[in-house]
Structure formats: structure tokens, C-alpha cells
Amino acid sequence: MLAKNLYDYSKTIAAPLLESVEYPWEALSKIGAFIKELGATLDPAVYDQIGEDIWVAKSAKVFDSAYLTGPLIVCEDAEIRQCVFVRGNVIIGKGAVVGNSTELKNSILFDCVQTPHYNYIGDSILGYRSHTGAGAITSNLKSDKSLVTVMCDGEKVETGVKKFGAMLGDFVEVGCNSVLNPGTVVGKNTNIYPLSFVRGYVEANSIYKRLGEVAERI
């Protein structure tokens, strides 16, 4: 579950932030401050500052109906489609697609991530070329509002955070209408079946079919 095992840092502008932590969820509380510091250094020939703490690459495509709140960085060639709602503390990577009616808050999307159809991504980190199917959501707050733990090999790993959606490794595919519950960590190259209910750690190179049924990807 170490950040370095989940992600290729060369595929995100947030590499310095992630390199400063051991577990990926430790970066969640630092995203906003990191964006403000980095934004001030971005090349004005490449990025426009379009609002308070909002930097959007000139090559990015942002539909008029999208609502953007800072701190926010939208990287080169990203596409922000109709009725997207960005609530701040968000990094959207190069070539990423944020689709119609998708809501983002306090999250990092690596380069080429796709959240293309009415997704909720909150307090989450989505690795390079990860993809969430239509209606998939990251549930980021437990019903009893207690601190989130991650189940791994039958043991609870304390995170010390109250809001924690999902940490998706590079090349993770999440099927339509799946719910990634608080404290979900999915290793690289893993597929999650549609309509799945996921919690805890899912190993890299797996196929998650349902709770208790995870197959190795061949």
C-alpha cells in the first residue's frame, strides 16, 4: 500500500508531494497548500490563471457549464466536460478526462485518468491511466464519522484521517456503478467488476469479482 508501489510519479505534476509521504492518504491534507505553491511557479506561456488559485493549461478544454473552484490545477490537454463540479484542492493531470456531471474534491488525478460519466471522486488519488466506469463513486466518509482504517491481510491499518475515498494504482479499471468505500486501496493493473462493493486493500494484478472473490490477472 506504499505510495511508491501504487504510482509512477513521472506521470503527475504532483510528484514532489507524493514523494514526501509514505502512504498515499498522507498526502490528502496537503493537496491544497501544494497547489498554491506550485501554481505560483507555473509557466504563464503554458498556463492561464483564471481565478483565485485556479490554473488551467491553455491546451486544456473546459466546457462553459463546468464549475471550477480553487485551489485547482488543470494540466495540458485535459478535458473538463459539461456540468463538471470541482470543489477545490484538485489536480487534474495531462490528458485526463473529467466527464459530464462528475464531482471532484480534494483529489489527485494522474495523467490520462478518465472519470468520464457522472462519478464522485472525493479525497482520493487516481493513478496513471486509471478509469472509473459510469456511476462509480468513491465514498469518502464512514456513516459513524469515525477515522478510516484499511483492511489488509485481516488486519486494520490506522490512517488517522476522517475522509478517505480510494487510492487507485496505475491502470486500475473500475466497473460501472461500483462503490469504493472509505479506506479502499487498489493495486496496479487491477480490474473491479461492475456493481462491486469494495473496501480494504485489493492486490495488484487482480480481478475483483465480489467481496471474498478475487482472482489473479493472467
Side-chain angles (χ1 to χ4, degrees):
M1 294 193 296
L2 298 178
K4 66 181 181 181
N5 294 334
L6 291 170
Y7 306 115
D8 177 355
Y9 295 155
S10 71
K11 303 298 185 180
T12 177
I13 200 171
L17 172 58
L18 293 170
E19 288 169 346
S20 72
V21 301
E22 184 175 17
Y23 293 101
W25 54 83
E26 294 171 343
L28 294 175
S29 64
K30 304 175 182 180
I31 295 174
F34 175 79
I35 291 172
K36 291 179 182 181
E37 182 178 354
L38 179 60
T41 69
L42 293 174
D43 185 352
V46 179
Y47 287 85
D48 291 324
Q49 185 171 1
I50 66 168
E52 185 177 359
D53 300 323
I54 300 175
W55 293 269
V56 177
K58 297 178 188 293
S59 61
K61 183 176 182 179
V62 180
F63 282 74
D64 290 341
S65 58
Y67 188 91
L68 308 182
T69 305
L72 167 66
I73 295 175
V74 180
C75 296
E76 297 166 76
D77 301 315
E79 184 173 343
I80 314 299
R81 293 177 177 165
Q82 297 93 333
C83 300
V84 168
F85 180 27
V86 179
R87 291 170 49 196
N89 296 342
V90 172
I91 295 173
I92 298 171
K94 293 180 180 179
V97 174
V98 183
N100 62 296
S101 304
T102 291
E103 180 179 348
L104 304 178
K105 61 90 67 172
N106 199 50
S107 295
I108 297 171
L109 276 57
F110 272 57
D111 298 347
C112 300
V113 165
Q114 292 192 345
T115 60
H117 306 291
Y118 36 93
N119 303 116
Y120 173 70
I121 308 296
D123 300 283
S124 298
I125 301 176
L126 277 57
Y128 178 63
R129 288 196 180 276
S130 59
H131 169 265
T132 56
I137 66 170
T138 62
S139 176
N140 62 336
L141 181 65
K142 295 173 65 175
S143 59
D144 62 3
K145 311 300 190 294
S146 62
L147 298 181
V148 174
T149 58
V150 181
M151 289 298 299
C152 182
D153 296 329
E155 297 185 5
K156 290 184 178 181
V157 177
E158 302 290 340
T159 69
V161 298
K162 186 176 180 180
K163 290 192 174 183
F164 174 153
M167 307 289 128
L168 304 185
D170 298 339
F171 299 101
V172 166
E173 289 280 343
V174 179
C176 295
N177 290 323
S178 292
V179 177
L180 307 178
N181 286 278
T184 294
V185 180
V186 182
K188 291 181 177 181
N189 304 305
T190 289
N191 284 44
I192 306 294
Y193 268 23
L195 299 174
S196 290
F197 177 87
V198 188
R199 174 176 284 127
Y201 175 62
V202 182
E203 291 189 4
N205 304 303
S206 297
I207 299 174
Y208 183 101
K209 300 180 179 181
R210 59 180 64 87
L211 186 63
E213 187 176 353
V214 180
E216 182 181 357
R217 247 181 102 174
I218 299 175

